[in-house]
Amino acid sequence: MQISGNSVIHLNVNGQEVSVMIKPSYTLLHVLREKLSLTGAKTGCNNGDCGACTVLIDDMPVKSCLMLAVEAVGHKITTIEGLENAAIQEAFVRNWGFQCGYCTSGFLMVCHALAKYNPHADDTLIEEWLQSNLCRCTGYEEIENAVKSILTNHIEA
């Protein structure tokens, strides 16, 4: 890999090894959307406030607009496209956990990780995890209900 100019990096995205030519300044969000056509992570604020770009790095939520793509080398990246048929997705549908949908992929990633790592989370912990993402269309009650439905029924996220 070169230090300056374009470089080829190898990433593990949704269980597949991919190689991509990047500039060292590219964020992971840019690479996912523009180089790999994985558009589920959304460009929102580009400064880490909204969470629309949230992906999982080694199963933990990360705002991909704040992470350089080169920092993801050697880590497991999961995007919303890699969460195929996860229980949390069904829970969002059943509990009306979205409206316009722009923030939904970020919330799904956070909620999936929350349910995986904190299967007995209480209301306070759920609210704490959800503070990392913003929704301008709905209250968070439906999103909280979706998470609680997974936790209450002990369904694997």
Side-chain angles (χ1 to χ4, degrees):
M1 179 169 28
Q2 294 174 213
I3 300 290
S4 61
N6 292 340
S7 304
V8 174
I9 62 171
H10 308 284
L11 300 172
N12 180 321
V13 181
N14 299 328
Q16 296 184 350
E17 295 295 325
V18 296
S19 297
V20 62
M21 178 77 72
I22 67 161
K23 292 183 179 182
S25 61
Y26 284 176
T27 63
L28 181 57
L29 177 61
H30 177 82
V31 170
L32 292 171
R33 292 183 60 79
E34 305 301 325
K35 299 290 185 177
L36 300 176
S37 298
L38 296 170
T39 58
K42 304 296 185 210
T43 303
C45 64
N46 271 329
N47 64 11
D49 289 335
C50 74
C53 67
T54 303
V55 298
L56 302 180
I57 303 293
D58 298 331
D59 295 325
M60 290 302 293
V62 171
K63 294 174 181 177
S64 61
C65 73
L66 295 179
M67 183 178 202
L68 293 174
V70 296
E71 293 177 293
V73 172
H75 296 279
K76 182 179 104 177
I77 304 162
T78 306
T79 68
I80 190 67
E81 291 88 352
L83 257 192
E84 294 180 31
N85 301 314
I88 194 64
Q89 292 169 306
E90 173 71 24
F92 263 61
V93 171
R94 278 194 324 272
N95 290 279
W96 301 94
F98 56 90
Q99 282 191 14
C100 83
Y102 199 81
C103 67
T104 303
S105 61
F107 271 108
L108 284 167
M109 302 310 283
V110 167
C111 293
H112 179 76
L114 169 63
K116 180 176 181 171
Y117 288 106
N118 297 289
H120 303 291
D122 61 11
D123 290 349
T124 302
L125 188 58
I126 292 169
E127 288 176 22
E128 183 179 313
W129 275 61
L130 294 182
Q131 286 179 8
S132 65
N133 293 59
L134 298 175
C135 176
R136 298 185 196 290
C137 296
T138 185
Y140 293 82
E141 185 175 347
E142 294 85 358
I143 296 168
E144 290 175 13
N145 289 341
V147 175
K148 288 176 186 177
S149 74
I150 296 294
L151 300 177
T152 302
N153 296 316
H154 305 291
I155 300 171
E156 193 168 314

